[in-house]
Amino acid sequence: MWKKLNRLGLCLLLALGSGEIAPVQAAEKPEFYEQIYLSEAEALKLVMGDLNLKKTIFKPTAAQRKRLQQKMRRKLPESEIPIWVGFKQGKPARYAFILHEDGKHYPITFIVGLTPDGKVTQVAVMVYREKRGDGVKRARFLNQFPGKTRRDDVEVNADIIHITGSTISSWSMAAGVRKALILHEELGLK
Amino acid sequence: MKRRGFYQLHRWLGILSSLFVCLVALTAIALNRADLWRGWFLSGQSQQAFSVAQALQLAADPHDPQHLLAADLHALYQSHDGGQRWQELKLYVPAEKVTGIAFEPAQAGAIWVALRDAGLFFSDDGGEIWEEDFSLPFEPIKGEAIEALLVSQGPTLSLRTALGWYRKDAAGNWTQIPLVGNPQTVLSLHDWIWRLHTGRFAGLWGPLLYDVIALSLILLALTGLRLSWRPRRKKPDPSVNAAARSGHDALAR
């Protein structure tokens, strides 16, 4: 009994005496928990339907990168971005971007479909990599994006309402859709 | 008479308690389901004119005295004419609940912004391009909110949260100085009360369970109120009963 009390007292003393400067590491990431909702083929089928697909890779030049970053108000980490073009009777009828945006701890992979005149047609979550916060895959959230263009803010608390419990993921998704719209504008896709 | 007075007191206390239960239950649901009602208040939020009177945070650029940054609860603003005119300075995330703005004394155009529940953001070009500092040794979104930011020569960056005082040196290493007086017991109590009120303490299912309980409480309160307004059943009058019984006896004879 006394031994236990002594040990408890020692622990308390240690706790109270810990008011010293101590080096700390970056906060630990939670468990990687990959949830695949759509494969690349399924996502493209969902957004592009039966259009004839062609994949191109966009490698931004230094000047393009600078302009993109200024428009996005953040760094562009990717050195190349794949773009899918859906052709109908030889003409581009739809564009799709598969993007990876940092969620709370791990990236969220999702697809954004755009019309040639730069209007969002569809957004769908493909892969979510955390246990919590996957509320952004709900239609209630994703249905806010179709119809958005470069003229819209596409920003949480401006014209997008976040999902409770998935705040950071909602921000990431909104930022990702904005990125797709900016890429469409920058590349002059028609 | 005394009994009747107690009945009336009990009835009105019951009504008031029911209304209170409704209020508590509805606010808990509103906190948990903010995404359902926030849309009503979105329009024109960022269009409002800003003045220094609204500023909760304010910082002056040491390299340009006319360049000021300020923040209210909802956004970040900048002025290039000493505060005469302001325009919104957008981050790529909603600049809500800014708890610290700091210019780096040694580097022109370097700005740090701390968002209470989101983290720390940095721009080295006067606020055009932002990036998040992912090296934080704690997670604001998990409850250890940022309460103050300080950037000094070095550069040394300091952040105060409810649990500690964190310092980042020029090499990017963080050190922690726990706050004197073991404040986490007192300061995190507020967060715990909030979590208790919303059910967040029980993880993902907590808010859902609380919603069900809150709706049940609202239903109980409303049905209680309905019953309290129902007219009381009158006791049968003994003289009427006696007359009826005697009439019945006479007929039987």
Side-chain angles (χ1 to χ4, degrees):
Chain A
M1 177 70 180
W2 283 110
K3 270 185 186 174
K4 275 185 186 172
L5 280 175
N6 277 340
R7 209 173 295 154
L8 185 70
L10 185 67
C11 289
L12 276 173
L13 273 175
L14 283 173
L16 289 171
S18 62
E20 295 168 8
I21 297 172
V24 278
Q25 303 297 318
E28 262 185 45
K29 283 186 175 185
E31 183 194 351
F32 184 78
Y33 189 78
E34 193 171 68
Q35 299 156 83
I36 301 170
Y37 302 114
L38 291 170
S39 66
E40 187 179 294
E42 287 168 335
L44 287 169
K45 179 81 181 164
L46 182 77
V47 171
M48 305 295 237
D50 294 324
L51 299 173
N52 294 322
L53 295 187
K54 190 185 168 194
K55 184 181 175 182
T56 57
I57 302 289
F58 167 56
K59 290 181 184 174
T61 61
Q64 280 177 321
R65 178 173 288 276
K66 194 178 175 189
R67 272 200 306 274
L68 285 168
Q69 291 185 150
Q70 280 171 337
K71 286 179 181 176
M72 292 185 340
R73 304 189 292 270
R74 64 189 170 120
K75 300 269 184 196
L76 178 72
E78 298 97 331
S79 54
E80 47 186 54
I81 299 164
I83 303 165
W84 281 265
V85 189
F87 288 93
K88 191 176 183 182
Q89 293 165 348
K91 286 183 178 174
R94 191 143 301 172
Y95 296 95
F97 295 85
I98 292 181
L99 301 168
H100 312 277
E101 284 294 327
D102 278 331
K104 194 168 158 190
H105 300 102
Y106 299 107
I108 308 167
T109 303
F110 57 100
I111 188 164
V112 182
L114 295 169
T115 59
D117 59 346
K119 198 180 274 183
V120 177
T121 58
Q122 203 156 14
V123 179
V125 177
M126 295 166 63
V127 188
Y128 196 83
R129 296 176 176 87
E130 289 176 50
K131 245 183 181 171
R132 292 181 176 191
D134 66 346
V136 288
K137 70 173 192 289
R138 288 187 209 154
R140 178 151 63 89
F141 177 71
L142 296 175
N143 286 346
Q144 299 179 87
F145 294 108
K148 297 284 181 206
T149 65
R150 255 311 266 143
R151 286 186 294 277
D152 297 301
D153 288 330
V154 196
E155 198 176 294
V156 170
N157 292 349
D159 54 354
I160 300 292
I161 302 157
H162 73 269
I163 285 281
T164 304
S166 313
T167 310
I168 303 280
S169 300
S170 305
W171 293 358
S172 305
M173 292 287 294
V177 174
R178 203 163 57 235
K179 183 201 257 183
L181 287 166
I182 291 167
L183 281 167
H184 181 278
E185 182 187 59
E186 177 62 29
L187 293 171
L189 301 173
K190 290 284 175 197
Chain B
M1 186 61 196
K2 211 174 187 181
R3 197 173 163 186
R4 193 178 162 78
F6 273 125
Y7 171 80
Q8 284 301 327
L9 181 70
H10 185 76
R11 182 167 176 255
W12 282 105
L13 282 178
I15 289 169
L16 286 175
S17 304
S18 301
L19 293 173
F20 181 71
V21 163
C22 282
L23 182 77
V24 171
L26 281 170
T27 51
I29 293 175
L31 281 174
N32 279 340
R33 306 284 157 220
D35 49 325
L36 295 178
W37 55 265
R38 282 195 86 162
W40 305 337
F41 302 95
L42 284 187
S43 58
Q45 200 178 59
S46 60
Q47 308 302 320
Q48 292 166 356
F50 176 80
S51 74
V52 183
Q54 296 161 251
L56 298 174
Q57 297 289 331
L58 198 58
D61 190 342
H63 305 278
D64 175 7
Q66 294 296 305
H67 186 205
L68 302 177
L69 285 182
D72 61 10
L73 262 181
H74 306 291
L76 184 67
Y77 301 88
Q78 76 171 338
S79 168
H80 285 284
D81 54 11
Q84 299 297 309
R85 283 167 301 167
W86 293 89
Q87 59 190 43
E88 191 176 347
L89 179 60
K90 288 199 168 195
L91 274 65
Y92 61 93
V93 297
E96 280 188 333
K97 298 177 193 163
V98 175
T99 45
I101 307 169
F103 289 91
E104 215 167 277
Q107 188 187 341
I111 307 169
W112 292 89
V113 170
L115 303 185
R116 187 182 186 279
D117 304 315
L120 186 62
F121 294 83
F122 171 72
S123 168
D124 59 5
D125 58 3
E128 273 197 35
I129 300 166
W130 292 89
E131 54 187 310
E132 187 175 354
D133 186 334
F134 286 108
S135 73
L136 290 191
F138 59 92
E139 288 191 55
I141 195 116
K142 280 192 177 167
E144 193 174 349
I146 302 173
E147 293 181 346
L149 163 73
L150 181 72
V151 176
S152 48
Q153 288 283 0
T156 307
L157 188 138
S158 300
L159 288 176
R160 190 173 71 79
T161 72
L163 304 187
W165 179 248
Y166 297 89
R167 195 176 293 157
K168 188 184 188 184
D169 60 24
N173 300 315
W174 286 96
T175 47
Q176 184 188 6
I177 311 162
L179 297 178
V180 178
N182 197 18
Q184 58 261 53
T185 336
V186 181
L187 290 170
S188 61
L189 194 62
H190 176 270
D191 281 337
W192 273 108
I193 292 170
W194 183 77
R195 285 172 194 199
L196 272 174
H197 183 54
T198 57
R200 301 288 166 99
F201 69 95
L204 279 180
W205 292 100
L208 199 64
L209 182 71
Y210 262 44
D211 284 352
V212 174
I213 295 171
L215 286 172
S216 310
L217 285 173
I218 290 169
L219 189 70
L220 275 177
L222 291 178
T223 49
L225 284 173
R226 173 75 185 87
L227 285 174
S228 75
W229 291 117
R230 201 175 65 174
R232 288 181 70 196
R233 208 168 55 191
K234 283 181 183 169
K235 282 182 184 170
D237 189 344
S239 61
V240 173
N241 276 354
R245 209 179 301 125
S246 63
H248 184 261
D249 290 348
L251 277 172
R253 273 198 297 273

